[in-house]
Amino acid sequence: MGADTHWFLPINPAAHPEHMPTDWRTREDATAGWEAIGRSQPVDRWCLRTGFRTMRAGDVIWAYLSKRQELCAVGTVRRTAFEGTADGGGWYVYVDWDEHRTAQLCRHPIPRSAFGQVPMSVGRVGPIPAAMLTQHLLEDQRGPVRGMPR
């Protein structure tokens, strides 16, 4: 993983209440929340309202839990595709989640205060947060990166 373009994929965990543990907002570990989202829909396919014209295979994508305001998963874009349906259809992104790094992020989510950008919809990560997040990806073998929580 090392693409120059990073994306935020905001996810509202409250949209999946029947699958969420009762303490999903307050527990430190986001694993149960991420797993609950996976029980409510396929986590490798997400509907896009924005970004679909410029998102490319190999771009890095970060799952942002909007109500918790933290990053809990990271992967790469496999592809984007328009899928027609009876009501017109829409654009989708297919994501290959990095299981190892996502497990680490679920155990130690990155709070929004560490990268500063507020993801309101699917969108590109700004240059400064992207540099911080790239450094986070590179630090696996070298220990914690200053400024990033562990």
Side-chain angles (χ1 to χ4, degrees), residues 77-145:
V77 173
R78 184 180 337 137
R79 66 185 176 100
T80 59
F82 181 82
E83 296 177 6
T85 62
D87 63 354
W91 282 91
Y92 292 86
V93 60
Y94 288 81
V95 180
D96 292 324
W97 296 106
D98 182 318
E99 291 183 27
H100 173 72
R101 287 186 171 120
T102 292
Q104 288 178 324
L105 281 169
C106 280
R107 285 190 301 276
H108 304 284
I110 301 173
R112 187 186 55 149
S113 61
F115 56 87
Q117 189 172 335
V118 181
M120 299 301 286
S121 63
V122 174
R124 283 185 192 231
V125 177
I128 292 171
M132 291 176 66
L133 294 172
T134 297
Q135 188 63 32
H136 179 76
L137 291 174
L138 297 173
E139 65 97 26
D140 276 349
Q141 301 300 320
R142 295 180 288 166
V145 175

Side-chain angles (χ1 to χ4, degrees), residues 41-55:
Q41 69 180 61
V43 294
D44 68 334
R45 178 182 177 265
W46 294 89
C47 183
L48 292 176
R49 300 286 181 239
T50 59
F52 53 83
R53 287 185 178 86
T54 55
M55 195 177 282

